[in-house]
Amino acid sequence: MRRKRYYQLCVCSCVLIYIYYFFGVSDYIFSRSYVNNFDYPLNVDVQPIVEKILSGKKPSVKPINYYPYRFLTNSGKCSTLDRLDLFIIVKSAMNHFEQRSAIRQTFGREGILPGKEIKTLFFLGVGESPKSMTQHQIDEEMAKYKDIIQIDFLDTYFNNTIKTMMAFRWLYEHCSTSDYYLFTDDDMYISVKNLLDYVHSESEGDRQLFAGYVFKSAPQRYHSSKWRVSLDEYPWDRWPPYVTAGAFVVTNKSMKYLYAGSLYVKHFRFDDIYLAIVAKKVGIKPVHCPQFHFYKKTYTRDGYKNVIASHGYNNKNELLKVWNEQNTH
């Protein structure tokens, strides 16, 4: 009888230990309060540093986060223009040739809106082999369209922050004259007309707009999650309000503040969370816009009349069909 109870106790203990470990219970227990104790590095007042940089002065505080990567290609899309209405930055995977082709025929097409200066570039990393067939095809694609900026970091999911912030750097250094910048993944439906209607109604004057689909949530701590975050990596119990990275829009001023601020904010592997931290540091509050859809919005002709962005369009023919139907009058 005692042996049976001892065995049951051991089994229960093992199950509890497993649950405690698997669900990261201790991480939830010992996480710090985001509301009361948020001091993500660099723990200084970043906003005046950014303002000094943008006024052409050198701050006394040294940057802690400059990504040591090179632009392997460049583009002159901004070099002959004093200003742009909109610049579209597409974060694309190396082998997504069909998605890029679809975007060039839809929302990334030159001259899409008469009287508006709109340009589009695709941002890619590199693969493990510089002589792969995929890279050869990309080289041919770049030679044909001249709309790809390739950067010498490994193009993987957890390097999306690098891709995003290197795109910010390119804009800051080579194309800082656009009124607005749309960042989007290559599997999105985008209505450029609806986007411009929205930003013109929201961003009066020199407002620091940073808008899209905003989430307020907490880090995942259980060990099986692809998005698990340990206390060592992020010890707080909540994320800052963040705009999901699938598609978001920023004003010219916000682009500059976010890039300059990122130099003083420690790297974080999730790009939407990282931008949220930088935004908090530089005093920009993310704006939720219900016209951005984090999940794929079921398509109907009337239902998409006011949509700015919807996820889930990795099929070229589907994007072309929806785009053409929405833009045929």
Side-chain angles (χ1 to χ4, degrees):
M1 193 68 173
R2 286 183 178 179
R3 284 187 177 180
K4 185 177 180 180
R5 287 182 179 176
Y6 179 75
Y7 175 77
Q8 290 173 336
L9 181 61
C10 287
V11 170
C12 289
S13 298
C14 289
V15 170
L16 288 173
I17 291 171
Y18 175 77
I19 292 173
Y20 185 84
Y21 171 80
F22 181 82
F23 289 103
V25 175
S26 64
D27 287 356
Y28 287 105
I29 292 172
F30 294 108
S31 59
R32 294 163 56 188
S33 169
Y34 166 77
V35 174
N36 298 321
N37 296 299
F38 190 75
D39 56 357
Y40 192 90
L42 192 58
N43 190 22
V44 297
D45 189 354
V46 174
Q47 193 167 349
I49 297 174
V50 168
E51 290 169 354
K52 185 171 282 190
I53 291 172
L54 297 182
S55 67
K57 299 175 183 177
K58 186 176 180 179
S60 58
V61 182
K62 292 183 179 180
I64 64 166
N65 187 36
Y66 187 83
Y67 295 106
Y69 302 102
R70 296 175 300 128
F71 297 110
L72 302 177
T73 58
N74 211 328
S75 170
K77 286 207 172 191
C78 279
S79 59
T80 59
L81 297 168
D82 292 331
R83 63 168 291 277
L84 292 169
D85 293 281
L86 175 67
F87 202 101
I88 301 174
I89 301 94
V90 183
K91 298 172 292 175
S92 186
M94 291 181 66
N95 62 345
H96 286 188
F97 300 100
E98 289 290 289
Q99 287 92 324
R100 290 193 289 276
S101 174
I103 290 169
R104 291 187 186 102
Q105 297 174 62
T106 55
F107 64 85
R109 191 175 72 235
E110 298 283 326
I112 189 172
L113 288 179
K116 300 292 184 182
E117 288 288 353
I118 301 170
K119 300 294 181 182
T120 300
L121 282 178
F122 299 91
F123 284 78
L124 285 66
V126 297
E128 293 183 355
S129 172
K131 297 182 179 180
S132 67
M133 179 58 69
T134 298
Q135 184 58 54
H136 176 70
Q137 290 175 284
I138 290 171
D139 292 340
E140 292 182 339
E141 187 182 6
M142 287 191 288
K144 182 176 181 180
Y145 296 106
K146 297 178 174 57
D147 61 0
I148 292 175
I149 303 294
Q150 195 165 23
I151 310 156
D152 67 345
F153 70 90
L154 194 61
D155 202 329
T156 63
Y157 177 78
F158 285 120
N159 279 342
N160 271 338
T161 298
I162 297 173
K163 182 180 291 184
T164 298
M165 298 319 299
M166 288 298 291
F168 266 91
R169 184 198 298 178
W170 190 90
L171 296 169
Y172 187 85
E173 294 176 351
H174 300 283
C175 192
S176 61
T177 58
S178 185
D179 290 345
Y180 303 97
Y181 300 88
L182 172 71
F183 287 73
T184 179
D185 289 347
D186 61 12
D187 61 347
M188 302 290 294
Y189 166 85
I190 301 290
S191 170
V192 175
K193 179 183 180 302
N194 289 346
L195 173 67
L196 289 178
D197 287 345
Y198 168 73
V199 294
H200 289 149
S201 68
E202 283 290 319
S203 56
E204 298 176 2
D206 206 19
R207 182 181 173 188
Q208 291 176 301
L209 183 68
F210 174 27
Y213 193 99
V214 176
F215 271 110
K216 296 179 181 179
S217 64
Q220 293 188 17
R221 303 296 190 187
Y222 47 94
H223 285 259
S224 65
S225 173
K226 175 182 178 181
W227 298 281
R228 167 177 161 75
V229 176
S230 70
L231 288 180
D232 288 337
E233 189 175 9
Y234 186 89
W236 296 276
D237 59 357
R238 304 290 297 177
W239 299 125
Y242 62 94
V243 181
T244 55
F248 62 88
V249 64
V250 294
T251 55
N252 182 284
K253 187 174 182 179
S254 292
M255 182 277 288
K256 293 173 180 175
Y257 265 68
L258 288 168
Y259 173 68
S262 73
L263 302 176
Y264 296 88
V265 179
K266 179 185 173 184
H267 171 79
F268 192 78
R269 60 192 163 104
F270 299 144
D271 52 344
D272 44 13
I273 301 299
Y274 182 69
L275 279 175
I277 296 171
V278 176
K280 180 176 175 61
K281 293 274 191 178
V282 300
I284 297 175
K285 184 177 180 180
V287 176
H288 178 69
C289 174
Q291 293 169 264
F292 285 78
H293 294 269
F294 174 68
Y295 303 102
K296 186 174 184 178
K297 179 176 172 63
T298 302
Y299 180 73
T300 64
R301 184 160 190 158
D302 288 340
Y304 264 55
K305 282 184 177 179
N306 296 315
V307 168
I308 291 174
S310 177
H311 227 138
Y313 283 87
N314 51 11
N315 181 285
K316 176 180 178 178
N317 293 329
E318 185 181 17
L319 178 60
L320 288 170
K321 178 179 180 296
V322 172
W323 170 265
N324 288 330
E325 189 168 296
Q326 285 297 309
N327 290 273
T328 301
H329 302 289

